[in-house]
Amino acid sequence: MKAFREKCGIVGVYGHPEAANLAYLGLSALQHRGQEAAGIVSSDGQVLVSHRGVGLVHDVFPEEIVRRLTGHASIGHNRYSTTGASQLKNAQPLVVEYGHGGLAVAHNGNLVNAETLRAELEASGSIFQSSVDTEVLVHLIAASRAETIEDRVVEALRAVRGAYALVFLSPEKLIAARDPYGFRPLVLGRVKGAWVVASETCALDLVDATYEREIEPGEIVVISDAGLASYRVSPSTVNTPCIFEYVYFARPDSTVFGRNVYQVRKELGRQLSAESGVPADIVVPVPDSGVPAAIGYAEASGLPFEMGLIRNHYVGRTFIEPRDAIRHFGVKVKLNAQRSVLEGKRVVVVDDSIVRGTTSRKIVKMIRDAGALEVHMRISSPPTTNPCYYGIDTPTRDELIASAHSVEEIGEYITADSLAYLSEAGLYAFLGGQRGGHCDACFTGNYPVQVEDQGVRQLVLFDAKDPR
Ligand code: AMP
């Protein structure tokens, strides 16, 4: 069985006559968290109605489909990772009918003991419909003898380990939960008396919901006609939110783990300039994810900020290249270098991270081809040396260039005149140097939760740069 690395966005709405419409808008705002598949499930208090499809939110949900998803409550999911034929089968929310009626669930994260639990459940007769780790939860809930849905959910959550931000929908209740480590973000908002739950605050903004608070690590929130009730899954919480949400993943206009992502990224850029400034003429971001850090770098260094690379925002995933190969084709489909900006210049290029190194290598060549005199690559995070097991889609350790190569070797590989990464201490400068309290396993190898499943296989799905 494959272990899926979920890099997803989730949303939940309760108490709104157009709940599905709000969920649809919320998912659109969270499109950067997953572009492979999308789904919404709604409840009118009696039955659940669902629609899921492969593709972007806008394509999966034409107006007539959203209108069909009637009811006052809804949950939705954007999925990042999946493979070929099984794409739709593994799309979420998962919807089941069990002894207590209908239930739907949408998950962002990765359960590190899902395979072990699945083997146990299968041994006692469970038949799984998909290969997503989330399905384990549904089986645990169905097997529970507890009386209420919230007790059944709590019982299931006590059995799983790893990273989860979850929304469940039963005909009468919306339940949201976050793991005791708080790896993935989940926030609570209100609009006109209705409740909204979402991975990021940018989804609240789009539906005019006010930000109330985060769902706390280890908290489960149950929303019904009786109002909102909060429970604890475990008495102790650890709180190690993912630092990579700040570095790359979240949208810059979101407030994540209590901080605005754009401001954090700018600070990372300022720090980067302080640590590894270099004589140059211009600072150029790799758009879009490198932009805030490049602004910070430019501000701190006093160098002009220039858009030397222009991104095409409308491209999909694969392209047919003419037989007569085009130079830098793969990267050029998404990014083009501007000769008018780069020619004759010593250029500092700022990106948020290097994963395999292939993008940076092509970018450096492209900038040189456009006439730059020198290309200095600056990365606003430390070297990515370890894979993520908690919900960010990273390739295997072997494919992470920094796992086996020094900064100098990587610099040579990408053919930059110089390469520098942000230091581990610099990564935490925005927290006044307080290092504790975040998961930075991708940079340090310090995994807060051990991976229990045997033979967990990483998917080779990573697309160098998602189409933001
Ligand atoms: P690479 O060519 O593999 O080194 O890709 C580096 C680029 O991928 C950088 O521009 C990052 O912004 C971007 N990136 C980093 N992490 C991820 C991820 N988990 N999914 C998609 N893109 C990523």
Side-chain angles (χ1 to χ4, degrees):
M1 196 198 81
K2 293 190 182 78
F4 283 92
R5 309 264 157 254
E6 303 287 340
K7 191 182 130 177
C8 308
I10 58 172
V11 61
V13 180
Y14 191 95
H16 196 283
E18 290 185 286
N21 208 329
L22 264 55
Y24 155 81
L25 292 172
L27 288 183
S28 318
L30 299 172
Q31 188 76 77
H32 61 288
R33 296 185 75 89
Q35 299 94 41
E36 293 261 348
I40 295 177
V41 178
S42 288
S43 168
D44 60 2
Q46 310 285 323
V47 287
L48 301 181
V49 199
S50 80
H51 180 76
R52 298 177 306 175
V54 172
L56 299 178
V57 177
H58 187 75
D59 301 323
V60 175
F61 290 100
E63 198 180 332
E64 64 274 17
I65 299 249
V66 178
R67 300 238 169 280
R68 252 186 265 150
L69 295 165
T70 51
H72 64 286
S74 257
I75 61 170
H77 186 265
N78 277 338
R79 176 180 181 76
Y80 181 78
S81 314
T82 186
T83 48
S86 57
Q87 276 183 331
L88 191 54
K89 195 177 66 173
N90 288 327
Q92 294 194 25
L94 295 178
V95 194
V96 293
E97 278 291 328
Y98 73 123
H100 297 277
L103 182 68
V105 58
H107 174 205
N108 171 213
N110 188 53
L111 306 177
V112 297
N113 63 344
E115 287 194 40
T116 313
L117 288 171
R118 181 179 171 129
E120 286 167 18
L121 286 159
E122 282 178 336
S124 56
S126 292
I127 298 168
F128 280 74
Q129 305 287 326
S130 75
S131 45
V132 287
D133 55 354
T134 316
E135 199 183 337
V136 165
L137 278 171
V138 178
H139 287 270
L140 290 169
I141 291 169
S144 164
R145 301 258 165 95
E147 296 228 327
T148 63
I149 177 65
E150 45 270 46
D151 285 343
R152 288 192 284 278
V153 167
V154 169
E155 206 177 300
L157 292 181
R158 288 198 174 132
V160 299
R161 289 170 51 73
Y164 55 81
L166 289 160
V167 279
F168 296 89
L169 187 67
S170 76
E172 304 90 19
K173 288 173 183 166
L174 171 71
I175 299 177
R178 220 170 139 212
D179 69 69
Y181 291 79
F183 284 109
R184 305 263 70 90
L186 195 61
V187 293
L188 183 68
R190 295 218 79 173
V191 54
K192 296 191 177 135
W195 296 96
V196 184
V197 179
S199 296
E200 293 181 33
T201 58
C202 62
L204 302 185
D205 294 342
L206 180 57
V207 299
D208 263 348
T210 51
Y211 169 67
E212 295 291 313
R213 63 176 179 88
E214 289 193 281
I215 307 287
E216 302 284 323
E219 184 186 19
I220 102 163
V221 162
V222 181
I223 306 170
S224 67
D225 282 353
L228 180 143
S230 163
Y231 304 85
R232 293 261 145 211
V233 174
S234 69
S236 63
T237 54
V238 191
N239 206 10
T240 52
C242 165
I243 197 78
F244 202 66
E245 291 274 352
Y246 285 135
V247 169
Y248 166 79
F249 198 26
R251 234 171 77 161
D253 52 335
S254 284
T255 298
V256 164
F257 313 134
R259 285 192 162 73
N260 172 255
V261 174
Y262 177 79
Q263 298 301 345
V264 171
R265 286 188 192 157
K266 260 181 82 174
E267 190 52 41
L268 298 179
R270 279 191 208 109
Q271 191 61 31
L272 184 61
S273 160
E275 284 182 9
S276 49
V278 58
D281 301 309
I282 52 172
V283 178
V284 167
V286 178
D288 290 330
S289 50
V291 171
I295 293 174
Y297 188 106
E299 263 181 29
S301 63
L303 296 173
F305 172 92
E306 290 280 8
M307 293 300 286
L309 294 166
I310 298 298
R311 184 174 193 100
N312 179 348
H313 285 100
Y314 309 101
V315 294
R317 291 206 144 203
T318 48
F319 286 88
I320 309 155
E321 189 172 0
R323 254 175 244 126
D324 183 13
I326 295 173
R327 264 178 320 128
H328 316 311
F329 182 75
V331 163
K332 231 185 203 170
V333 171
K334 290 176 185 165
L335 294 172
N336 196 17
Q338 300 226 63
R339 178 167 286 275
S340 72
V341 169
L342 300 166
E343 194 160 33
K345 297 288 188 345
R346 296 170 301 167
V347 181
V348 174
V349 189
V350 179
D351 203 355
D352 61 274
S353 55
I354 294 180
V355 184
R356 292 194 173 97
T358 45
T359 309
S360 311
R361 185 178 160 92
K362 287 178 182 155
I363 285 171
V364 170
K365 287 210 176 103
M366 213 157 110
I367 291 177
R368 246 192 251 288
D369 283 0
L373 294 181
E374 293 172 18
V375 187
H376 301 279
M377 188 64 126
R378 294 293 177 268
I379 304 297
S380 60
S381 65
T384 306
T385 44
N386 297 277
C388 176
Y389 297 113
Y390 312 128
I392 298 282
D393 183 32
T394 46
T396 59
R397 183 168 283 121
D398 305 344
E399 291 167 282
L400 292 170
I401 190 166
S403 76
H405 296 279
S406 66
V407 174
E408 207 182 340
E409 286 167 344
I410 301 170
E412 273 166 33
Y413 173 73
I414 67 171
T415 71
D417 291 284
S418 76
L419 166 68
Y421 287 86
L422 188 61
S423 68
E424 279 174 28
L427 181 63
Y428 291 104
F430 75 96
L431 292 171
Q434 296 293 316
R435 297 198 49 174
H438 283 83
C439 175
D440 53 16
C442 51
F443 304 126
T444 63
N446 299 328
Y447 290 100
V449 179
Q450 287 314 307
V451 179
E452 291 176 22
D453 291 334
Q454 292 301 305
V456 168
R457 198 165 76 79
Q458 289 248 283
L459 291 183
V460 188
L461 318 142
F462 177 75
D463 181 22
K465 188 100 190 175
D466 67 25
R468 259 190 277 174

